[in-house]
Amino acid sequence: MSQQAALHPMLNVAIKAARTAGSIINRASLDLDVLKINSKSPNDFVTEVDHAAEEAIISTLLAAYPDHSILAEESGRTHGNQTSEFQWIIDPLDGTTNFIHGFPVYAVSIALAHRGVVQQAVVYDPCRNDLFYATRGRGAYLNDRRLRVSRRTRMSDALIGTGFPFRRGDNFKRYMKMFEEVMQQCAGLRRPGAAALDLCYVAAGYYDAFFETGLNPWDVAAGSLIITEAGGLVGNFTGEADFLHQRELVAGSPKIYGQLVQVLKPYTRVISAEPAETEATSAKTAEAADAVAQDAPAATPRAPVRIKKRDLDSSNRT
């Protein structure tokens, strides 16, 4: 690949790790009947392939950079030097539920943060051999093609990706109201089931925007840089930049992002000093937001997200 010759050395190592994990995943996909599957919680699965792919990624990264720290979905922070300014954020198989059913939408996600700011990003789709990647300040790519977010400006024309609730304890009534708000204002809503790929699809212009709650840093660290390097915006439901820790995310082309934030703002769970809204108040606020969403201005780009080193929620996305 002509573009690859000019890639940052750390990005090249991440690409090597992602392709190694992709080979493990592809081999396992040929015989799913013998796959060993465990449940971390209801509807939240992990397989021996998740573990094998993660081990291969970590081994490749630490062989090149033994002093770096690791944050991985399955093994957490147990590998690497946790005092390092460099941290690899890894999801070895985003879309495990899809994988175990033979539904070909899943990916490997690897990001590198320096002092809390993501600098390198790789998302690899082993089914299609699609490699999405970005280096901060140098653009985002799919294989050899430069990526740009879509140019659509109206929510009524927008195709939007999302994720549905699947864990015990999720607020399904809140989700249904949120989906109803968005569905009535856009051209279509999609839920393939792998957030890392969803974010890359925004960067490629396949989607005009994406939103979901309950995501962890390893789900979104790589995809968020790929989006911003493709000219898009990423934030939480109120448009602030701390989406990695608030477990809610909106991403999109600038115009659609601004309008979608206006729709989703009433449903935020970001902690604030204001009293919590009741369901009735939330619904009324959402109704008011509908009236201005179409004319909402593009959101102002935010500063790079800093990843705080603190304990993560124990629940993981499949």
Side-chain angles (χ1 to χ4, degrees), residues 100-115:
I100 63 180
H101 287 83
F103 185 65
V105 181
Y106 42 82
V108 180
S109 178
I110 303 173
L112 174 65
H114 179 243
R115 295 183 177 179

Side-chain angles (χ1 to χ4, degrees), residues 218-231:
W218 45 79
D219 297 311
V220 300
S224 62
L225 178 62
I226 292 169
I227 285 179
T228 56
E229 286 298 316

Side-chain angles (χ1 to χ4, degrees), residues 6 13 46 76 159 199 211 309:
V13 171
V46 61
L159 182 64
L199 294 173
F211 71 97
K309 293 185 178 179

